[in-house]
Amino acid sequence: MITSAEYLKRLQSMKPTVYMWGKKIDIPVDDPQLRPNFDAIAIAYDMPLEPKYQDLMTVISPITNKRVNLFNHPYQSTEDIRKKVDMIRTMVTETGCPCIARCVGSDALATIGITAYNMDKEFGTNYYQRFLDYTRYFQENDITAAGVVTDARGDRSLRPYQQPDPDLYLHVVERRKDGIVVRGAKASISHAAVCEELIVVPGRGLTEKDADYAVAFAIPADTKGITFITVAKAPATQPKMENPVSRRYAFSDSMIIFDNVFIPWERVFLCGEWQFGGGMGSLFGDFHRLSHCGCIPGRGDLTIGTTSLVAKYNGIRNKGHVQSKLVDLVTHTEMVYACGITAAVKGFKTPSGIYAPAIIYSNAGKLFESENTTSDIGLVADICGGILITMPSEADYLSPNTSDYMKKYLKGAVDAEYRIRALHLAADITITRWGAGQAAAEVMGAGSREAQRRAIHNNYDFEKREALAKRLADITN
Amino acid sequence: MITSAEYLKRLQSMKPTVYMWGKKIDIPVDDPQLRPNFDAIAIAYDMPLEPKYQDLMTVISPITNKRVNLFNHPYQSTEDIRKKVDMIRTMVTETGCPCIARCVGSDALATIGITAYNMDKEFGTNYYQRFLDYTRYFQENDITAAGVVTDARGDRSLRPYQQPDPDLYLHVVERRKDGIVVRGAKASISHAAVCEELIVVPGRGLTEKDADYAVAFAIPADTKGITFITVAKAPATQPKMENPVSRRYAFSDSMIIFDNVFIPWERVFLCGEWQFGGGMGSLFGDFHRLSHCGCIPGRGDLTIGTTSLVAKYNGIRNKGHVQSKLVDLVTHTEMVYACGITAAVKGFKTPSGIYAPAIIYSNAGKLFESENTTSDIGLVADICGGILITMPSEADYLSPNTSDYMKKYLKGAVDAEYRIRALHLAADITITRWGAGQAAAEVMGAGSREAQRRAIHNNYDFEKREALAKRLADITN
Amino acid sequence: MITSAEYLKRLQSMKPTVYMWGKKIDIPVDDPQLRPNFDAIAIAYDMPLEPKYQDLMTVISPITNKRVNLFNHPYQSTEDIRKKVDMIRTMVTETGCPCIARCVGSDALATIGITAYNMDKEFGTNYYQRFLDYTRYFQENDITAAGVVTDARGDRSLRPYQQPDPDLYLHVVERRKDGIVVRGAKASISHAAVCEELIVVPGRGLTEKDADYAVAFAIPADTKGITFITVAKAPATQPKMENPVSRRYAFSDSMIIFDNVFIPWERVFLCGEWQFGGGMGSLFGDFHRLSHCGCIPGRGDLTIGTTSLVAKYNGIRNKGHVQSKLVDLVTHTEMVYACGITAAVKGFKTPSGIYAPAIIYSNAGKLFESENTTSDIGLVADICGGILITMPSEADYLSPNTSDYMKKYLKGAVDAEYRIRALHLAADITITRWGAGQAAAEVMGAGSREAQRRAIHNNYDFEKREALAKRLADITN
Amino acid sequence: MITSAEYLKRLQSMKPTVYMWGKKIDIPVDDPQLRPNFDAIAIAYDMPLEPKYQDLMTVISPITNKRVNLFNHPYQSTEDIRKKVDMIRTMVTETGCPCIARCVGSDALATIGITAYNMDKEFGTNYYQRFLDYTRYFQENDITAAGVVTDARGDRSLRPYQQPDPDLYLHVVERRKDGIVVRGAKASISHAAVCEELIVVPGRGLTEKDADYAVAFAIPADTKGITFITVAKAPATQPKMENPVSRRYAFSDSMIIFDNVFIPWERVFLCGEWQFGGGMGSLFGDFHRLSHCGCIPGRGDLTIGTTSLVAKYNGIRNKGHVQSKLVDLVTHTEMVYACGITAAVKGFKTPSGIYAPAIIYSNAGKLFESENTTSDIGLVADICGGILITMPSEADYLSPNTSDYMKKYLKGAVDAEYRIRALHLAADITITRWGAGQAAAEVMGAGSREAQRRAIHNNYDFEKREALAKRLADITN
């Protein structure tokens, strides 16, 4: 396991092709708006090295027999899954960083392992050995990878093979002796600009005609032919008070264009087996929604703490309706966590030996969160009051023209400075592009609400419950 | 451990004073409308005797060193709590009986144990030994007790000591050498008419002036001076098709009047220690809400199965909006269960050694359920269609005048008989006095929504979260 | 216009074939469980005769030039629509009767008028004159008709012509010189057993192959070949306190079998014109949802009053959370009414000259109500407390064995008798088969939620709003 | 009536003391971030001058007997109120500008008129004449005023007179022969920096000890002693595609400090009559919530249009769940409008002759909107997909490095450019500081949810409904 400083050093020596705001970014981690994304990932390097977190955040790998970061370890037990949930929540709650980023690649890696094993059983391929080799490399080098799933998709009423432009889903354009060549684009890929590797899996169900779109692989981010078009979420300017979270930790998303990119066979984990393509997207979703059952409660901790604090500073903390709204924030937070814990406790062993979270609970937690995330902004705003939106800027607070007025008139049940700081924090997590974007991203992070509904519907044992109903109603058909 | 037949025999030899529908009921378990309440309890005697359920539903008691029903065992581990949740759900799901009844006394018993220990520490009393003795008796005889908590309450804006009539809360009217005499009434006591013992604890917070209202004890149901006024929920007449659940299993509730009832000291567990009175009510609530996290998912299984079946029989099972509504029923069900599992996993050891479920989760599960229970009837009704409400009676189905018409015209995607049976089942669990009563009872079973909100608010660690907010916002006060 | 006594007399001389509880009912209005349905309709005969309601509830008919009941008058202005909403709410609020029943036939009549006119324009038929003649008869005799819409439907994934049994939708089996013969069944027809006439329209969209299913007509309820299988909602026994609403006013629903029923041509309003069949069902829905925007607020008045009263009697009327829940009941009530008023104000003139309510608002009001109706039971239950479900019976209150106990211990902030009466009222409108059935019936009365969603979606001018979006975004396609 | 150009000219000659971003702004309307706020107000000058809007947006004033802008006309009929709702919706829907700004001052003016009349009746003061004189001036000069209501408030658990710093609520510090001197600050005052006049009323209920805080007046914005600390919502930089709404129309909010400001008596409308202070805040709220029932539906039009367009461009417009979510947006929009229309239709005449909207409906509409506004962002985000949050910037779209990639890979069911534009529009109204701020501002614009709940609770006729309940339940107390 390495430190974040060592990871930083490796990233500084990489040369991915990244564009942002219309310009080429030479070394992403040195860009002031991408650095907070690196700083988020850094948490997941450094906290596990602290002795007090060793048990929660690291594990002896059965592959390397060495201690590895839990993020890089396909689960070997339900307890591993439970630890993942608690590790992610702890990282978020301790730092206030809403997203620790390393889960995505981790979830893609497990997806590949489980599917590789099943494919080998069905087709006699040797994907699982490739997966083990890649995982060994991954663990030994303490890699952070982006999980690269969603395609450009074009007209979503059409299947991949039906698109007028065949490149709107990533596909194999050439099969060589030493590897394959792929073309297409993946969209909405979080953190990719500060990751070392890309783990790519298909993003939707496929038919036989889509066989060329059944492709999964892992590849360094600076591989030839790969272009990132990136958008950073960190604020362009960073006043001291106004961006207490987003100046510390913030993310980026990338469109990734694959322009005839060569992938050597040892890095290919699916190539043409369309029957398994859709399953990879679903499985990734089930894993990744579990990860959200860890980070969302951590974000909830910050939201609850901030809102409770502002309520105090406004002098309304003991009002019945305020307490009731805080309880809403608490239950929204803790029920997502409860889904995560239960998805772990009820997790199951796949044929590969890798454990997976119980699908119903990881999806229910994510769906519940998706359906409350923007609505909760309303609860926060209601408690903070109009001043959340209308507060003068930090510059006015610092200006001699207006500072005294603001100190006098923005006093609450506490000195103005504290109230102003707490309100800026509340704004940063709700109504800035950063905060509102976070909430909206949660609506379809790890898939849309409909994706989660389908996952729940298609995996729930309705027949068992219908049998109970029939028995009671004396229905004998 | 005894069988339900043995329990029945004991009940038939008891002579409680029970009135119902204006008449005296001599042997409640022989009354056709109270018998289904006994039959619900019987499940909790007989299933644990089945070998396949031994591990889930029984445990070796550290008090008796013998195998006892898990219901009669104050939890000794978080695993015991988890088993309780799964035991209750299993009993409900396997039988379709919505409420297994033995949990209430079980939750009251644990409440007494935990509080007794704490009181002894504070006041040097010897309640805990009495608790152990009573628990030994309870386990050795495999008792079922009612949990008797809610007082008559009168004008709820007044404290007990402020009521014009001092009897509106149960209180001590005399302290004798051999015991105490109590007077007052408890209301809304479920299943009491078919229980052997009553375990009585205070139902609300108390002040010093309320000291006489701080009283807890356990007593046989046919103790002199006790009168039950009971209301049964089983249907008065029991056609074959129309009441598939409620003709099998149904409940009763009782007002219990204590008219100068003598309680020997060895059965008294609180007497005047008003500081601990309110805590008992809260603790009982926390335990009992956990029990609901087991039975509600079981009821959900029946609701989901019934609704899915009717949708099939109506020919609309594969419509998107129907599937979406079924997923709502699933998430409402499984998130309550997830709260129960998490309340168990995160349970904690009290000073007495008895484990308690994590308060936030048992309350969140119950609150979530309370806020969805009647609304879910709407989802069921929407899928079943107007015929749920308007279907002709079983008598018309059986009558030669109309039977052929109903067989012809109530056909769906299945023969009319199956559809009619499934619709009667749907009606029985939603719109009959039984079904609608069940839903409404869930709104404030184990306390009102506000009670759960208060429990969550008062037990959540807001300060920890405020500290995080302060750290991020550089607030130094 | 006639009195309810005159209407009663007419009904007593009719001989419809009605079965209920497996027996033939000779004179429905003399049956104790159907009489409360008649009593509901009676309101709509008698209140309009009171001078103070003349302006609101009657109108000079342009057909007869005489004063007629507003229920029997196809709207000639938006003001007529507004009056209908206010008339219905007034009738419900003044009497506590949740459903006045005459609206259904009224809505079917207007549906026929509008469609007849349009068909005549398109096909050169003479339906509109038949409609005028029938309406004259209807007004001159002050008729009450059932609106007969929903077919038996069988497997709902199949169209009428696809059903294995062609009778599962009502259809024309013979065209004669003097009329037509129809066969099939209509289900879930409210109040039909105490109506004089049946106005029948198709219940769904039709294709050319369904042409025989395109049939609309009006016919006396005791026409040969018609059989009612009826289910009454009034309680079988009628204690004084327990059924304060349902012993006064209650409804019935009928399946109506048409077994080769002859309809003379002058009573036929659609016969084979499948293009207009589906439109009639939709139009009826739009009209009938408007009627609900009147009765639902009236029911809300009773729910709000009852709940507020119980809260007072419990001593919790001034608690913040109680007031907040009452406000929820108020807004749920008044927003439905606001939709009704707005549907009236924004109503439009159809080519026939008959006015129709604005589709978006009549549907939005009904949908909103459908999505809150059962959930509101939870609000009522939460305020009433567990005693709503667990209260001993009226018989116990009257019995000398238990009366004193109940008088002493069911006192609240008011004498026990008042509290008990208020709680029985609350139970009657929420958890009895009557009350819970009412709520569930509202879920799909006037069509399912999905029907309303489709109506809104298909009638909303999305293009106008898209044009605004395009203009702002400089989109020029 | 003047044009916006004339209004602009007047504003350019005013010299208010405005600070923003730490600097003094000499002429607010010339500041690029405040100009879009002026442009919003300009709509309300120019549209009423168009002949086609004359009937809807102007009226003959009974004070001046000349045609005036409807915004400057205290309602003389329910029809005036209805027109206000439709005028505001029309202005918003036609331009896409979410807030037309002139309503606030208009609502404050009517508040003063109604209260002045009532005070004169009670105390024999002559405020109403002053109101008439001021209104004449207001109409003749076609003024735009800010409505200045909310005080700084300090610790909100304390009343004004209890605050440690007496200036935390605006108050009278001196009464002179020619006028009064006031000190304090008002917070969260929308649009104030581009208004000519400030109309100031108290923001909360007052007791006798708060008499000095009972003060209302109107004064030019550049009166000596007034300082604005302003925050603008327009984007600092204005790319062509990214800010399609906010580069055109955007708002500002100001804290306004009154540092010993002199108000001549003829401009004072309340001074010490504490009994009427709280009523002014409530009345302003009732009026202003009605205004929201006009603008919110207009915003809804834009949200619906944008979302429907993006759904089309994504190729998912005909999916059932997408249509269902669009229907949610439609009902949320149209039910607010229905409340506005009904508040107008049911409006009432105050003793002054000025009409007021029906309190229940204006509050219900606003409350409903407040409780849906941020949750609706989730619906929009869910339909738009992750690309809403993750789309590369306009600069990348224009850059030769990345433009071709974006054109190729952001194609949907339409050319990439249109899809990108539509998505930028969706982002501008939901997740930018502007869009998210709009939504959050709606949560407590015109008062918090609790304020609306109190208004509804305190104005609803519960007794009438309780009387109905008593009548049915035979309760005779």
Side-chain angles (χ1 to χ4, degrees), chain B residues 206-218:
Chain B
L206 301 172
T207 64
E208 191 165 2
K209 289 181 177 166
D210 300 309
D212 284 343
Y213 296 91
V215 60
F217 55 86

Side-chain angles (χ1 to χ4, degrees), chain C residues 56-97:
Chain C
L56 180 63
M57 302 186 180
T58 69
V59 67
I60 303 296
S61 165
I63 297 173
T64 64
N65 287 318
K66 288 187 216 140
R67 188 164 293 278
V68 299
N69 193 306
L70 186 63
F71 275 124
N72 289 353
H73 167 72
Y75 312 125
Q76 298 296 315
S77 66
T78 60
E79 185 60 9
D80 282 349
I81 310 179
R82 205 269 308 153
K83 282 186 178 177
K84 176 90 156 279
V85 174
D86 279 330
M87 172 178 71
I88 295 176
R89 182 172 188 172
T90 301
M91 287 176 171
V92 172
T93 299
E94 289 305 308
T95 62
C97 171

Side-chain angles (χ1 to χ4, degrees), chain C residues 233-307:
Chain C
K233 305 299 164 53
T237 59
Q238 304 198 350
K240 270 181 79 74
M241 295 164 76
E242 282 187 9
N243 307 103
V245 180
S246 56
R247 71 185 160 93
R248 288 185 170 93
Y249 305 111
F251 318 136
S252 64
D253 294 288
S254 300
M255 281 190 67
I256 309 179
I257 289 88
F258 294 83
D259 205 349
N260 295 325
V261 176
F262 172 74
I263 322 286
W265 280 117
E266 66 268 22
R267 289 297 196 91
V268 175
F269 305 111
L270 172 80
C271 183
E273 297 86 352
W274 58 271
Q275 305 91 330
F276 284 83
M280 291 185 96
S282 302
L283 197 52
F284 170 79
D286 297 333
F287 270 84
H288 194 47
R289 287 158 204 158
L290 187 276
S291 295
H292 279 251
C293 294
C295 62
I296 292 304
R299 295 189 199 188
D301 287 332
L302 179 55
T303 302
I304 293 163
T306 304
T307 311

